Amino acid sequence: MDYVKAFIVGGIICAIGQVLIDKTKLTPARILVAFVCTGTVLQLFDLYKPIIDFAGAGASVPLTGFGSVLMDGVKKAVDDKGFLGVITGGLTASAAGISSALIFGFLVSLIFKSKPKS
């Protein structure tokens, strides 16, 4: 049942993105930033954590989950370090995900050869 919940919630998030691409003049980059900001704001008010608890990876893997991780890190760092936590908290909390993306991106670039668009 966990897979079904993850699939449904992740699918809804992706469907919202697709509707925004198809029905608005927003660029994909702006939509991605909007998803990160939405996850951040929802986590600020403790509204995204219940969604992650319900859907697991279906809610934590999309960009809204990244925004949630950033805000969660900022909240914890502000509690520990004060105002300096605003700057350091998000990066500390998301360092593993960012590092993984860089490492796997590099490994894939070694395996595959890029081609110019024609």
Side-chain angles (χ1 to χ4, degrees):
M1 193 62 179
D2 290 338
Y3 295 120
V4 173
K5 289 189 235 178
F7 179 78
I8 290 171
V9 172
I12 289 170
I13 293 170
C14 291
I16 291 169
Q18 190 63 49
V19 167
L20 290 173
I21 289 171
D22 292 343
K23 301 294 182 185
T24 68
K25 293 183 179 183
L26 293 172
T27 63
R30 289 185 179 181
I31 294 169
L32 297 176
V33 170
F35 274 139
V36 173
C37 292
T38 300
T40 303
V41 171
L42 288 174
Q43 186 62 26
L44 175 66
F45 298 110
D46 293 323
L47 298 174
Y48 203 72
K49 178 78 169 128
I51 299 171
I52 291 175
D53 291 341
F54 173 76
S60 64
V61 171
L63 283 172
T64 49
F66 179 66
S68 169
V69 167
L70 289 174
M71 181 52 71
D72 203 32
V74 168
K75 282 179 167 179
K76 288 178 185 173
V78 166
D79 290 342
D80 293 343
K81 300 175 185 174
F83 185 72
L84 185 61
V86 172
I87 299 168
T88 62
L91 291 175
T92 303
S94 61
I98 294 169
S99 297
S100 297
L102 289 171
I103 291 167
F104 290 121
F106 175 71
L107 292 175
V108 168
S109 74
L110 293 176
I111 297 169
F112 298 100
K113 201 167 185 121
S114 66
K115 299 174 190 161
K117 291 183 179 181
S118 50

